[in-house]
Amino acid sequence: MIKRLVSIIILAVVITSLFMVLSETAPFGDDETVVSHRYIYKGVDETGSANLVTAVVLNYRGFDTLGEVTVLFVAATGVGAALYTRKHPVRKNKVEASLIVKTGSKLLFPMMLLFGAYIFVHGHLTPGGGFQGGAVIATAFVFKYISDTRYSIDHVGFTKMESASGMIFAGLGIMGLLLGGYFLLNILPNGTPGELISAGILPIIYIAIGIKVGAELTGIIDRMMGVEA
Amino acid sequence: MMFYFASAALIAIGIYMLMVKKNLIKMILGLSVIDSGVNLLLISIGYINGKTAPIIQPGVSPSNVVDPLPQALVLTNIVIGVSVTALALSVVIRVYKHYKTLNSSEVRDLKW
Amino acid sequence: MLEFLNPMLRPEWMISLLFIGALLTYFAGKVSSALRTTFAIIFSVFVAFLVFLSGSRDVLTYWRPSASPMGFRFVLSINALSWFFALMISMVSALTIVYSAGFGKNTEKDNAFYGLNLLLMGAMLGVVFSGDMLSFFIFWEIMTLASYLLTTLAGKRAEKGALNYMIISTAGAYSILIGMTMIYTRFGTLEFSGLASVMGGADPMFLLITLSMLGIGFAVKAALAPFYVWAPPAYSEAPDSFTPVFSGALSKLGPYGFTLFMYGIVGLPALAKMGTFRGISDFGYIIALLGSITAVIATLYAIAQDDIKKLLAYSSISQLGYVMMGIGIGTSIGVAGGLYHALNHAIFKTTLFMGAGVLIYTTGSRKLSDMGGLGTKMPITFLTMLIAIFALAGIPMTGGFGSKWLLYEAAIDKKFVLIAPLAFIASVGAFLYSFRILQSAFLGQLPERLKGAKDPSPLITIPMLFFAGLLVLFGIAPGIPLGIIASVESYLGIPALNVSTYSVYLGANFGAYNAFTVMTVITLALLVALALFFIAKKSRKVGQTDTYMAGEVPEHHVDLYLHYSMNFYRPLERIFAPYLRNRLERLYDAFGSGYELISEGIRRIYTGDVQHYVYYVMVFLAVMILAGWWWL
Amino acid sequence: MIEVAVGFLVIAMIIFSVYAAETGDLMYAVVAVMAVSLIVSMLFYVLQAPDVAMAEAAIGAGLTTAVFVLAIKKTERYEHD
């Protein structure tokens, strides 16, 4: 009990000071920074992407995103390594899902996939993108796993898709290096901002990221589902 | 102000979970809560009063959108967060298989 | 006649020959052990011959690796100083390899033994030949590692000693590295020739710090007073056929380092800037004082030993103390005495350790009280060890007399009332413990089980006879080694000793030491004594086994209690035993346990409990925040 | 008007997180954290960050919860002291 009290007091000190410092140095609702100024005013012209977040993530900070995807890949590999079993993992669900869930999943699963695809294809126009779309796809597979006790993803196919999409991302970067002199150069024309076919290579990258994130998150879920406790 | 307060409270509760709880899953939950708090903090720093989402459409001028930079950061952070959480949990599962406990102070090999 | 060898008289040739030889020897051992031994002997003797031929000609080699990051270049050179030491090292190493070939089996892993011996020889030659600090340090480390591995080859019981040696050596090497880095940051060069011209102008404080840093590293190898604790276990537990090199050659690199840096690089005028005491620099005085203290302490320990190798190990420490004393005094006589004693020590201690190896091989024990009466059974071993012991005790007719004479003269010349008496005391002690070896191993009664003992094979006796002959030669003609030393001194910028073949002129106060006259007088005295002995002979010859056992043959269990070499110097030990109780090892032990205690305390903070770490982080943050509010 | 809604959301969020911290049943705690995530996602939307809101809803509230639930299934549900 005394431990809790002490920790609460310490936390109160730390958090209160954090709060006070924040309200003094960065008041809520204040103006944007200089870097963001450039992104906001030049972003659409320079990248062709209507969604400025996408412009930052894929164009200005595209290299970071490649690193982020790598981190995701390493984490998925780590999960696989930590949960490795000698036997091939087998799913063992004692309780079957109810008929409603089963039927609903059959109806909803393709729609969820479609929605995920929609999100990452339109990443440069509307809110959303490869990460969100990939997460939605992974959620669809979670749903499928819950409803169907015998369902298991095609591991080989998923691995191939994941590798292929990762290679597309890296390959586009190298192509920029070859054609224009620096990594991840936007080698395609920007087009008209606001149209589906616009913003150069950004939609292609986002599709690749969407597939990769979806495959990896699904792989993580599959790993955690499959191991016997 | 409300948002700063909310994020500070989330961070505090997350750290409290780390400091007081001995259950490993509870501690990872605490990390997850800290994650949410930090994300909220970053986004609320980037917010500008009376401006809209950073998506340039007909009718939305660049002078009228909020800061996109923290949003890109947080987007990265969320994805990294889930992968790290999954990795941590799989390690916890491994630890549980070996020690049959989730109590961090009973897992002796954490001590060198 | 040997002109075709001239292109090979270069340091890089000698060192790489040995390194290649080490590999070849090791792999030849996989095929046949005879091939391996032949290879080892050929390579080592050939290189020793090359070193001998190269003379003190000045050879300088630059080798700049293409990818050298900071513009270092590796310099190897032969000059008077390095040739003198190289000669000593190669002689001892090569002949010890020949000697160890005489035993069928030296260690459990003989392939590694011979390979590492060649590697060690190459590294030692590399240290003395290197002309810049970087290659000096690299060879120094190879040398330390090779000798450590050789020591561990003796098996389980050598592990502790070897580990001690390694730890203290590593500390010394770090100290050298620090000194090296300081010099490099100040002057931007590591080449000795470049440093020699700039080091003299540096401020005394800087010189003092760098020299002390380097000196600690060298003092470890030279087993100087506070750092000698590794030496007795390492020397005594190392394989019997390696100890001659260890004590005879490897330990000489400490004095070499001191000589090189004190006189070769910094130079006498710059040393004198640090302050002088009766005409010699304070730094040198401290070294000399430490050397003489080491000599006395180690002698006292040596007197109390029953284990022959341990006795010789302590004796090595004390003799190296003499060497350091001479080098520290730094006058013409002092340095000559120190270097000459280093040479003599290399020769007689190698011989003694070789003889000890033979004795251990013959009797199967390292205890002096298990031996006895071997003089008649092993005349060659007896003779060579007798001469070596004469040299060790500083008895005329051997080289040891000349070097000790020079050292005493050097100390008396400067009126050092502390150093000179210490040196005398140590000398008396040296006589006592060397007499113990003689008496216990070769004289007295022959135990029953050693009836079949005989001299070992010529491979073993020839190196010993060679060394004994050298000692006698130096005793008659000290001008031969002292002539080389005089050229070393003039190379170092110290006034050279005035020598001719048979005599040494020591200055107006002391006159000359004419070895030939001394020799003649001693021989005459001996003849007179012998004549007196035969004329006035009243003694009766008795058998070796019937002195005080009433004619009974001593049994083994009787040996255990009644052997005459038990408690050989008991009355003497009783006098100084109380002072030896506070051994230096205890200081190190206390330091070790204190360190352990502190580490244990720190370890308590790292509980391994994640919660505690989070606590630490948060408490630290809170303290920083509160402190910030308070101060700002 | 929006301030009031945000206030309610924040209060609910804090209550959920405190509940997640204090409850002994890990499943309940996970669900409470999911609720926190969801509310944070709504707050993102209020803060004009629809991209992040979407990611937080899909990943923070959806996948993280699934991963937690699976981990709890493989270990134990109740927290012992």
Side-chain angles (χ1 to χ4, degrees), chain C residues 307-361:
Chain C
D307 181 328
I308 181 167
K309 281 188 79 179
K310 218 161 216 169
L311 193 156
L312 290 175
Y314 276 116
S315 151
S316 295
I317 297 169
S318 101
Q319 299 302 315
L320 281 165
Y322 272 115
V323 174
M324 291 315 299
M325 186 184 106
I327 289 172
I329 289 174
T331 56
S332 171
I333 308 175
V335 174
L339 293 181
Y340 188 23
H341 198 65
L343 179 63
N344 276 326
H345 177 250
I347 295 172
F348 67 66
K349 195 47 62 66
T350 309
T351 317
L352 281 177
F353 268 120
M354 283 176 169
V358 172
L359 287 176
I360 294 165
Y361 181 73

Side-chain angles (χ1 to χ4, degrees), chain C residues 484-500:
Chain C
I484 301 173
I485 289 168
S487 69
V488 171
E489 281 190 328
S490 53
Y491 168 77
L492 291 176
I494 301 168
L497 208 61
N498 188 358
V499 287
S500 67

Side-chain angles (χ1 to χ4, degrees), chain A residues 22 26 29-30 36 40 50 52 82, chain B residues 4 41 47-48 54 56 62 67 94:
Chain A
L22 266 180
D30 208 18
S36 311
I40 290 169
L52 287 178
Chain B
Y4 281 0
L41 185 63
Y47 181 72
I48 304 164
I56 311 293
D67 197 345
R94 205 75 195 166

Side-chain angles (χ1 to χ4, degrees), chain A residues 28 33 42 51 67-68 71 74 91 96-97 103-104 106 111 116 121 144 146 159 171 185 200:
Chain A
F28 183 70
T33 57
K42 298 272 180 66
N51 187 344
E68 180 195 354
V71 169
V74 170
R91 293 190 54 203
E96 288 272 322
T103 319
K106 271 177 194 155
M111 289 189 175
V121 168
K144 188 76 176 166
I146 290 170
T159 315
L185 175 71

